C-alpha cells in the first residue's frame, strides 16, 4: 500500500486494509531519503497511525506499508 503524507501535520492515519497488524512501514522524502518516524501505532489489522515530532510542512513524504 502506498500513500502520501502531505497535509502538514505531525501525524498521519493510514487505512491500508492489508488485514494484518504485522506490517513493514517505510517513509521517504522527495529525494528518496528515509524519513524517520517517532512513533508507529498499529491500530488494528487494517490501519496504522504514524507520528513525527516535525510536521511535513512544505514537503511530500511517500509512505509504503507492506506485509
Amino acid at each position: 500500500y502506498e500513500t502520501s503524507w502531505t497535509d502538514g501535520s505531525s501525524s498521519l492515519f493510514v487505512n491500508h486494509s492489508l488485514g494484518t497488524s504485522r506490517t513493514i512501514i517505510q517513509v521517504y522524502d522527495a529525494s528518496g531519503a528515509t524519513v524517520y518516524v517517532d512513533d508507529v501505532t498499529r491500530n488494528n489489522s487494517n490501519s496504522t497511525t504514524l507520528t513525527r515530532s516535525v510536521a511535513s510542512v512544505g514537503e511530500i513524504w511517500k509512505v509504503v506499508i507492506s506485509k
Side-chain angles (χ1 to χ4, degrees):
Y1 179 85
E2 293 184 20
T3 192
S4 296
W5 190 340
T6 60
D7 64 1
S9 71
S10 59
S11 66
L12 177 70
F13 176 84
V14 180
N15 187 14
H16 53 71
S17 300
L18 292 174
T20 182
S21 59
R22 295 181 182 199
T23 55
I24 299 167
I25 299 163
Q26 300 168 303
V27 183
Y28 303 100
D29 68 10
S31 70
T34 299
V35 173
Y36 293 97
V37 177
D38 297 326
D39 186 55
V40 174
T41 303
R42 289 169 174 88
N43 304 313
N44 55 49
S45 61
N46 292 306
S47 69
T48 300
T49 301
L50 309 176
T51 305
R52 280 206 42 157
S53 58
V54 178
S56 63
V57 176
E59 297 184 54
I60 298 173
W61 297 335
K62 177 177 240 179
V63 178
V64 180
I65 302 177
S66 58
K67 53 179 175 174

